[in-house]
Amino acid sequence: MQHQQQLQHQDNRRPAARSETPRLLLVDDEPRLRNSLRDLLRCIPLDVHCAGSGREAIALLQQHRFDLALLDLGLPDMSGHQIMDQIRAHGQDPEIIVVSGNTDIDSAIGALQRGAFDYVRKPYEPDDLLQKVQNALEKRRLARENRQIRTRLANSERMYRYLVDASPDLIYMLDHQGRFSYVNERAEAMLGFKSSELLGRHFLDFIHEDDLDRAQFTFNERRRGPRAARNVELRVKCGESKSMSNHAVRDGYLTISLNATGLYSQKSPDGRPETYLGTYGVARDVSERKRAEERVAYHAYYDTLTDLPNRVLFNDRLSLAIIQATRNTKQLAVMFIDLDRFKTVNDTLGHIKGDEMLREVSARLKSCVRKGDTLARLGGDEFALFLPDIRARRDAEVIARKILDELRRPFVLDEQEFYISCSIGIAHFPEDGATPDSLLRHADIAMYHIKSQGKNGFTHFALDMQSTTGHLLTMEADLRRAFERGEFEMFYQPQYDVATLSMVGCEALIRWHHPSKGLMTAGEFIPYAEEAGLIERLCQWALRQVCLDLKAWHVHDLRDFRVAVNISPKYLERDGFVDEILDNVSAFGIAPETLELEITENICIKNVSDTISKLQQLADSGLRIAIDDFGTRYSSLNYLHRLPFHTIKIDQSFVHDVNESTLRAPVITAIISIARGLGLNVIAEGVETPAQMQFLEKLGCREMQGYFFSTPVPKGEIATRLATHHAPFNGEGHPAQRLSDSPRTT
């Protein structure tokens, strides 16, 4: 009873039961003693196998593997020592307890030398024997668990080594002095240095001199846990290893994003403080991302065609100049420059040659301005210039005359001379306005005044020139009547998948049948609609018309077909915007996925949370969202992760840079890479030549639109193409039938 209580107490302390019952070999030539031992061991869960001789024991060893053996030394056919030798010869390693009546000390020593766990002399105390059996099994269990732990540890270490060395990131450790104590194998591919070249070197030896202060601050902070340094960007030196895979190295340096965590010893039992041991960190190469962000950011502030500042940067600089002029009681002048007869050149020679002339015009204008002046291209053939720190109006007149004289010289295009001129309006601070908008608007009015007087000249703004704004009032009245008279019509420009040469969608483009001006494109009247506050009404009309046309086309196969309609920022800001969209979809019974809403990227930085909420509701309802004119304005790439976009549209201004002679378009490459990284569809607009199509297709852009494929056509033409299985493209585009559609209009 006592030994049963002991075993029960030991069972309570044992861990979870093994998946197999321990197997015991009982070898004794006395049947009575074997049976007695077997009965004694019933209180322990064992799979007991008995043998009365050495031969029987050897036979059982050949059939099974044993965890424990109770072995008598005095057997009729062989000694217990011989059986122990046979056990080892068979590659088994059970725990062996010798149970023998032999009192010879040499027998006991021989058994122990052969690895016996214990030696019990007959007669024995049952409780003592049971305790020894239990101890042997416990030792066996602990040894097995220890082997498993060592195996798991070895496997874990191998896996850790593999993960660390195969990581796409550089993983390192620094000692408490800031010297490399460990670097994974990624170092050579990323930095061009072998691990051995970095070990023992101080990390500051590899940091760009302009980033030394930030690097020292990051490492000296020694933060850990949630306060550890995160996403610190540093420029690091590169080696010259041929194994280096990075091609974004600039001036011998690349940019990394770094996470650094301080390493400390555990707090000692006697209360001594933790000791700083060094730093653990992970570095990721972000050079390509930084280059792409720089490209996108650059083109947010600069004109892609001329490399001049765009309207955004011009206004920023003008705002600063106004502040400085106010503080110093100085004057400044703003010029609005519009080219005369440029449309004739553009229509005669085409868009590519027109762009060539604009680049030459920009170069000539830059040669006329002073250091400190800002020249910008506002769009099309419109330029703006402001002159800070002038003393009198005649200072601006000197620059204006230089510009007129410079542009009078002939331009040579296709070995033919062309002549253009320009009209210049001038507004002065502070008498003509105190804000960038008012100065630019008044310079614009002065420019229109000189155009009405015969062009090719300049004039200063005067209050009586504002009568020209009467034209705006006339256009506003005409627009309001256009709604009542039903003068708007929706045209559609097909979008093609160049891999299948089939139409996969189209973009809705609004037209106005003006009673006296004829058919007007969106770019010709949208500005007036925005000025008159009619843009929301126009968006509502366009959305309803697109839904109506989609319903009419429903008889055709519209799977994988979509119609994109541009949405004004003001319309998106409307409180009932989401409900109006969904009500139209429901009322006309169209599939939500066939409707794609295009928004311009500048929406992304206005009321971000509201924009995300509205667009997410529409996306959850099945509608597609596209970002238009990507790269022409500034918006953080971080918002692309948060906004539910499906498509990025490459602006036509980037596509126009691609031609037969210079197939270089780094911004397009960056945009396609960003879209691919975010899992978004990408469409290029403004494709006009086979070279542009082939170049874009090579970069991975499959979907395109432009005059190479088709001009905008009435809805009836789209229905005809849908009836012919989405009208496969036959390569016969219509580049000569170009219309001045603005990609930012409905």
Side-chain angles (χ1 to χ4, degrees), residues 357-369 375 402-403 405-412 418 420:
M357 174 175 279
L358 287 174
R359 283 191 288 267
E360 176 62 24
V361 168
S362 300
R364 295 191 187 185
L365 291 176
K366 284 190 283 187
S367 69
C368 299
V369 302
L375 173 68
K402 287 176 64 176
I403 292 173
D405 291 341
E406 191 64 31
L407 295 186
R408 287 192 183 101
R409 293 190 295 110
F411 292 83
V412 180
F418 288 86
I420 64 171

Side-chain angles (χ1 to χ4, degrees), residues 493-561:
Q493 185 170 39
Q495 297 169 336
Y496 282 86
D497 185 330
V498 295
T500 61
L501 299 179
S502 61
M503 185 174 67
V504 294
C506 55
E507 179 181 2
L509 299 167
I510 194 169
R511 296 287 184 265
W512 180 12
H513 293 279
H514 193 278
S516 60
K517 300 179 182 295
L519 186 65
M520 298 179 66
T521 62
E524 297 177 276
F525 61 86
I526 288 295
Y528 298 106
E530 291 176 337
E531 186 75 20
L534 296 173
I535 190 65
E536 294 181 42
R537 185 177 178 186
L538 200 58
C539 285
Q540 291 172 321
W541 180 91
L543 179 66
R544 181 177 177 82
Q545 186 61 46
V546 167
C547 291
L548 183 63
D549 292 341
L550 273 170
K551 180 181 180 180
W553 297 337
H554 194 67
V555 296
H556 306 293
D557 181 11
L558 295 184
R559 287 177 299 176
D560 300 324
F561 185 83

Side-chain angles (χ1 to χ4, degrees), residues 91-103:
Q92 296 201 36
D93 60 344
E95 302 298 334
I96 299 175
I97 299 177
V98 174
V99 183
S100 175
N102 195 336
T103 60

